[in-house]
Amino acid sequence: MRNEEYGNLKRRRAGTGVGERHGVGGMGKDASRRGRRDPSLLLRGLGLSSSSLVSTQTSQFWNAPKLTYEQIKPRTEQPSPNAYIVDVREPDEVILGSIPSSVNIPLSGFAESLHLNPVAFKQKHGFEKPRQDQEVVFYCRSGKRSATASDIAKNRGYTNVLNYEGSWLDWTAREQDKSS
């Protein structure tokens, strides 16, 4: 192979796009040569730090205690100011219905909302920010996003986190059974 051809091949492998060479888009200078993404740049793009990655990795084995329909139903009939039922679905899903006495914090902005001070949180969501020792039950459509929200809350220092595993699908099925 001639030197000129070798140089062209080397440049193609390294990536000649301006974004790749300068670390834009999650590719660091050295990482682009190897074709790998630089995790710290990706995290920064998501508004996270490498320390949040470490805390997420160490908590991957933690699962929030799970509630059943029979356990959550009384919480909806006699709501307490010391407990929240939080729907982490997006607004277009919540329009279709929600569990009585629940409040909505969409998962898409959930981590950011937990970083807000209490005044900004209330302005954004219309209710008081949960205290870190307050009971918080999460639900979504099927239980997956609520598990994610539970992990995020735990990583942010919340100590009384619960997950309604059946979530909206279970709730609606059980409520329909009662009315039939």
Side-chain angles (χ1 to χ4, degrees):
M1 186 180 298
R2 294 185 313 191
N3 284 344
E4 183 180 309
E5 290 173 326
Y6 179 74
N8 288 338
L9 177 63
K10 192 173 178 181
R11 275 193 294 282
R12 274 194 309 251
R13 283 187 183 156
T16 57
V18 172
E20 289 179 337
R21 288 181 35 220
H22 296 287
V24 177
M27 297 291 281
K29 184 176 180 182
D30 293 332
S32 68
R33 290 191 180 112
R34 295 186 307 270
R36 296 184 187 143
R37 296 218 174 248
D38 181 352
S40 64
L41 292 173
L42 290 171
L43 288 171
R44 220 174 307 142
L46 294 171
L48 302 170
S49 67
S50 57
S51 63
S52 64
L53 175 64
V54 170
S55 64
T56 301
Q57 288 176 338
T58 59
S59 72
Q60 68 183 337
F61 301 109
W62 180 83
N63 286 316
K66 295 172 179 76
L67 292 181
T68 64
Y69 172 83
E70 291 77 19
Q71 292 169 310
I72 198 167
K73 181 70 173 175
R75 287 171 168 86
T76 67
E77 293 168 339
Q78 295 180 357
S80 166
N82 295 318
Y84 277 117
I85 300 173
V86 179
D87 184 346
V88 295
R89 296 176 298 158
E90 297 302 313
D92 62 323
E93 296 172 278
V94 176
I95 289 172
L96 303 174
S98 61
I99 293 175
S101 77
S102 67
V103 294
N104 179 241
I105 307 173
L107 185 61
S108 61
F110 182 71
E112 179 183 297
S113 289
L114 291 185
H115 283 296
L116 296 174
N117 67 53
V119 173
F121 183 95
K122 187 170 185 174
Q123 286 175 340
K124 181 173 183 173
H125 296 290
F127 57 91
E128 299 292 329
K129 182 178 181 178
R131 298 182 316 276
Q132 290 193 317
D133 63 343
Q134 189 170 1
E135 180 181 284
V136 185
V137 178
F138 294 104
Y139 82 94
C140 59
R141 180 182 168 272
S142 64
K144 303 279 191 261
R145 287 176 285 176
S146 58
T148 300
S150 297
D151 286 341
I152 292 169
K154 172 100 163 84
N155 287 332
R156 299 293 189 270
Y158 286 81
T159 58
N160 198 357
V161 175
L162 303 164
N163 179 20
Y164 176 23
E165 189 175 37
S167 283
W168 181 244
L169 292 177
D170 182 55
W171 178 268
T172 55
R174 302 287 192 107
E175 291 291 300
Q176 281 179 346
D177 287 348
K178 282 184 159 188
S179 63
S180 298

